[in-house]
Amino acid sequence: MSAITGCFNERAQKLLELHLASGVRKYILWFKSKIRSNNHSSLIQEGRDLVTYAIINSIAIHKILKKYDKIHYSKQGQAFKSQAQSMHIELLKSPWLCELLAFYINLRENKVETRAIPGLFEECSFGLDCGKPTLSCSLLDSLKLDIDLTCSICLDTVFDPVSLTCGHIFCYMCSCSAASVSIVDGLKAADPHSKCPLCRQAGVFEGAVHLDELNILLSRNCKEYWAQRLKSERVERIQQAKEHWQSQCQAFMGI
């Protein structure tokens, strides 16, 4: 399962890099993808196939473990179950899946001719239910994915969103605050023992992924909120940058 998820994340990342790139870099990435694949559409189709295959495996493992738990209560059986669960990487929490959903919606909003492109997901949508932002889609006939886009720290719509390695999504500045690092140093400077504010898993900040496609989607659909948040965060970012510069100067001068 980890190999399936790793392959999916790698291919999805390359697809999104191609979509978000500009100028010469976009041409280089496009040329490389042409060498490895027939066209852009085939990459999207591959992403869909990988998602479907991984979800089927995820459901199968869940059912196997559930049935195994009913018939095997020995210490060895419980040890096997714990090991299987710890090694099982849940694809539905992958930040690249969230990015692909936002990517697909962004394509539609850009009025790209999607008929020529194999659809990634069915019934994929972004909505504000009672002011609560949610990214939803039907992955299979019996499986629906709903991603809550409310930051559990500031309790508002995630702004400049990042996904921690545990799969939970926060505002970038909120995650920096939770990791006790400045926005200048970034999340890679977080203590390895720092824990996710939700699940309390340690070591989840260093490998955090910026959700660029989701950022574009939210900025388009929450324009007034985005403008207000951008203004307030700009002030905070400038203040932190000044404090960082002053501390560096003081350290250099030996004050």
Side-chain angles (χ1 to χ4, degrees), residues 18 21-34:
L18 177 61
S22 60
V24 177
R25 183 168 179 268
K26 184 167 186 176
Y27 176 79
I28 294 173
L29 290 172
W30 176 85
F31 183 74
K32 288 182 178 179
S33 69
K34 281 288 185 179

Side-chain angles (χ1 to χ4, degrees), residues 157-228:
T157 301
V158 289
F159 180 84
D160 192 11
V162 293
S163 175
L164 307 186
T165 55
C166 58
H168 292 118
I169 300 174
F170 301 95
C171 305
Y172 176 67
M173 287 193 66
C174 291
S175 60
C176 286
S177 177
S180 299
V181 296
S182 70
I183 58 173
V184 179
D185 294 326
L187 294 176
K188 291 188 180 297
D191 189 308
H193 298 96
S194 297
K195 298 179 180 179
C196 170
L198 279 179
C199 64
R200 308 306 297 168
Q201 182 177 334
V204 295
F205 291 97
E206 185 178 358
V209 176
H210 277 270
L211 304 178
D212 296 322
E213 289 285 352
L214 180 59
N215 191 58
I216 294 172
L217 177 63
L218 290 170
S219 65
R220 287 176 174 171
N221 290 272
C222 310
K223 293 183 179 179
E224 291 185 5
Y225 165 74
W226 217 252
Q228 294 174 357

